[in-house]
Amino acid sequence: MKITWYKVKKGDTTAKIAFYHGVGIEALMNENRNIPAYYSYLEPGTFLRIPTNIGYDLSEKDYGCLYEYGWRELETDRLKMHSMIHSEKIGASVAGKPIWLFRTGSGKKKIFFSAAWHGNEWLNTWLLMKFLKEWQKNRIQKKRWFGIDLEELCREITLYIVPLVNPDGAALVQEGIHGVQHSQEEILKINEGFKDFRHWSANASGVDLNHQWPAEWKEEAASSPEHPFPRHFGGYTPLSEPESKAIYELSMKEKFSHVIALHSQGEEIYWGYAHQEPAESKELANRLAKVSSYRAVQTADSKAGYKDWFIKEFKRPGFTVETGVGQNPLPMEASMRMWITCLPLLLESCTFPDFS
Ligand SMILES: [Zn+2]
């Protein structure tokens, strides 16, 4: 592969540049860290690396998520992973589904990504698994990814990923009551008899896994449902659920340098908690905003979330990233935009300084 340089003109877009040079958008983005997400604008005068002679087939198209991605699909993909990506079961859900942790890299700086805390946000599981598969592919082919040399990065960081924190919740959303072979009567009662679970965000006990962290849990509970509910019930005590406990134990053991928890939707990045975040959090959130075209916001009105607790406990940067636009549950057509906006954000965070 040869590289030529190109200076961005007024009116250029990523897709136009890729098309006129006969390369795929993906290939173009892989060579350049200064290209923000596809839907964003290119600054005239920016220099881009254009790969040539790569034998790219323009008919090769990535259509995004084409069917429901849940614990079964995750298991199929997990078994096909290259040995550079280790997987480990770190716990089980209320109904007994495994909670998988993926780990790659051998560096000192530990970074943690998580997704699908809420059942109806399983598109983010698809997104993180796609991230892992592409990571693996680029590393095997020794290709740069958004200008990043993954071999070099893997000596600096160890990446931890739990793509499906709430497997039961996602199964309920995708399969209805058949998604959980456990306490079906109670679950139907919590859903007020409705057979439609598309809006379900809790776990199989009707507890919201991102509402039960010891960071003003009591204050949050005062304005939340008092009993098991499809969303926002924080449990009778903090960290009462096996899924939250698994993430708590992992976090206490690994003491991550920073964390990113994916949620949906809104294309926003929340980076503060009760002014306890480190001074650098603001600038880091702005970096994430720049590459993704999302909006950085200091605080969400919610408390008792995982990133709130992480900031409070470690005084290190924690981010809640709301992927996608539209209304929850986001349709599968939203997946491609989620991927192309969130991918540069995840990679950018891998180049953050070490806070440990
Ligand atoms: Zn969420």
Side-chain angles (χ1 to χ4, degrees):
M1 185 177 72
K2 265 177 64 187
I3 298 289
T4 57
W5 287 92
Y6 176 79
K7 191 176 173 187
V8 174
K9 300 192 305 285
K10 233 177 143 186
D12 277 344
T13 64
T14 311
K16 281 185 203 173
I17 294 171
F19 182 79
Y20 287 115
H21 287 89
V23 297
I25 295 181
E26 196 94 329
L28 184 62
M29 298 193 77
N30 284 346
E31 284 302 320
N32 295 280
R33 238 187 93 199
N34 52 350
I35 299 187
Y38 291 21
Y39 292 103
S40 196
Y41 310 102
L42 291 171
E43 204 65 51
T46 306
F47 279 92
L48 298 183
R49 291 161 57 91
I50 311 281
T52 52
N53 313 328
I54 54 169
Y56 186 80
D57 179 2
L58 284 171
S59 63
E60 227 176 77
K61 199 162 163 40
D62 193 341
Y63 290 101
C65 183
L66 296 174
Y67 50 85
E68 285 75 9
Y69 195 100
W71 64 274
R72 288 187 192 84
E73 288 71 28
L74 187 148
E75 182 61 8
T76 306
D77 281 341
R78 188 184 73 80
L79 293 172
K80 284 192 283 195
M81 288 278 174
H82 186 277
S83 61
M84 70 173 68
I85 295 175
H86 308 269
S87 57
E88 183 192 334
K89 185 182 160 188
I90 56 160
S93 67
V94 168
K97 295 184 183 70
I99 297 170
W100 288 105
L101 165 71
F102 294 87
R103 184 170 45 83
T104 190
S106 55
K108 188 179 143 285
K109 184 168 60 179
K110 295 178 176 180
I111 300 171
F112 179 46
F113 300 157
S114 58
W117 291 78
H118 294 133
N120 55 358
E121 297 171 5
W122 57 263
L123 271 175
N124 285 328
T125 301
W126 167 83
L127 193 153
L128 284 184
M129 291 305 286
K130 183 171 169 66
F131 179 83
L132 277 171
K133 286 185 273 182
E134 298 277 322
W135 174 288
Q136 169 181 288
K137 194 172 90 191
N138 284 303
R139 237 183 114 183
I140 291 169
Q141 297 177 353
K142 300 200 184 314
K143 273 165 64 182
R144 292 162 77 88
W145 204 16
F146 278 64
I148 292 174
D149 179 336
L150 291 176
E151 286 308 312
E152 208 177 292
L153 184 65
C154 282
R155 285 191 290 273
E156 281 169 30
I157 69 166
T158 303
L159 187 56
Y160 294 75
I161 298 184
V162 176
L164 185 53
V165 175
N166 181 7
D168 293 339
L172 284 167
V173 170
Q174 295 171 344
E175 301 163 43
I177 195 63
H178 307 293
V180 174
Q181 309 296 323
H182 166 94
S183 317
Q184 291 187 336
E185 251 173 66
E186 283 84 351
I187 293 170
L188 275 168
K189 219 181 273 171
I190 296 169
N191 206 31
E192 295 172 337
F194 290 111
K195 288 193 172 146
D196 185 340
F197 281 84
R198 279 175 297 175
H199 293 275
W200 185 277
S201 81
N203 73 350
S205 298
V207 177
D208 189 319
L209 300 176
N210 202 39
H211 259 62
Q212 66 151 208
W213 289 79
E216 293 175 271
W217 173 84
K218 245 192 190 148
E219 289 80 349
E220 183 66 13
S223 60
S224 301
E226 290 172 13
H227 299 288
F229 202 67
R231 70 198 66 82
H232 293 169
F233 171 56
Y236 294 112
T237 54
L239 301 177
S240 57
E241 302 307 298
E243 297 91 346
S244 324
K245 269 184 211 151
I247 303 290
Y248 172 81
E249 274 156 27
L250 175 71
S251 304
M252 292 307 279
K253 182 176 155 215
E254 303 298 349
K255 301 184 168 45
F256 302 113
S257 174
H258 69 265
V259 301
I260 293 184
L262 297 186
H263 286 263
S264 280
Q265 49 79 42
E267 298 200 335
E268 287 183 318
I269 301 155
Y270 299 122
W271 52 272
Y273 170 69
H275 301 289
Q276 294 185 33
E277 69 278 2
E280 295 91 335
S281 286
K282 182 180 184 175
E283 185 224 316
L284 297 176
N286 285 335
R287 276 172 62 181
L288 299 182
K290 192 177 168 201
V291 296
S292 61
S293 72
Y294 290 6
R295 193 163 68 109
V297 180
Q298 187 166 14
T299 38
D301 350 325
S302 70
K303 304 169 171 74
Y306 172 67
K307 82 113 171 52
D308 305 329
W309 168 80
F310 179 83
I311 292 172
K312 183 185 161 195
E313 179 73 25
F314 295 101
K315 307 288 183 281
R316 293 178 189 170
F319 305 92
T320 291
V321 171
E322 301 278 355
T323 65
V325 273
Q327 219 177 353
N328 272 353
L330 289 171
M332 277 184 265
E333 296 75 60
S335 62
M336 212 50 216
R337 177 173 168 133
M338 290 163 78
W339 166 248
I340 61 186
T341 52
C342 198
L343 167 63
L345 181 153
L346 296 173
L347 284 174
E348 181 72 10
S349 93
C350 291
T351 66
F352 282 0
D354 194 352
F355 288 86
S356 52

